[in-house]
Amino acid sequence: MSGALKRFIPMFDRVLLQRAEAITKTKGGIVIPEKAQQKVSEATVVAVGPGFRTDEGKTVAPTVSVGDRVLLPEFGGTKVTLDDTDYVLMRDSDLLGKFTS
């Protein structure tokens, strides 16, 4: 992990995600043009906030942890750049699902 990423902790129920790489070549070796590539909807969790607080003051922990692979909605999130790497910051409740191994 880079220096800035180690020091970054998302607030409340926010999750910092790194999108998976887009597929640029088919199995047969054909290179896919950049305009034809689909938007990647899969990401890896890089950092997780402590959770959100209820009206009673209790903290509810996020449902994901660092290293989990998750499914993202088509739109949403905030683009964040740390050490020349792009990440997406979004709420835990906005994630669509989590992949299991």
Side-chain angles (χ1 to χ4, degrees), residues 52-97:
F52 72 93
R53 291 193 181 239
T54 63
D55 294 334
E56 293 82 32
K58 295 181 182 179
T59 301
V60 177
T63 57
V64 294
S65 57
V66 174
D68 287 346
R69 287 182 26 238
V70 295
L71 185 65
L72 302 175
E74 188 173 351
F75 301 104
T78 304
K79 183 180 172 185
V80 177
T81 303
L82 298 171
D83 290 339
D84 298 326
T85 306
D86 293 332
Y87 298 96
V88 178
L89 187 65
M90 54 179 24
R91 291 186 181 274
D92 178 49
S93 59
D94 290 341
L95 300 175
L96 299 177

Side-chain angles (χ1 to χ4, degrees), residues 25-60:
K25 206 182 251 190
T26 64
K27 290 181 183 179
I30 299 172
V31 177
I32 300 171
E34 198 171 312
K35 288 186 176 184
Q37 293 175 6
Q38 294 181 343
K39 188 174 180 183
V40 179
S41 61
E42 186 179 323
T44 303
V45 178
V46 178
V48 180
F52 72 93
R53 291 193 181 239
T54 63
D55 294 334
E56 293 82 32
K58 295 181 182 179
T59 301
V60 177

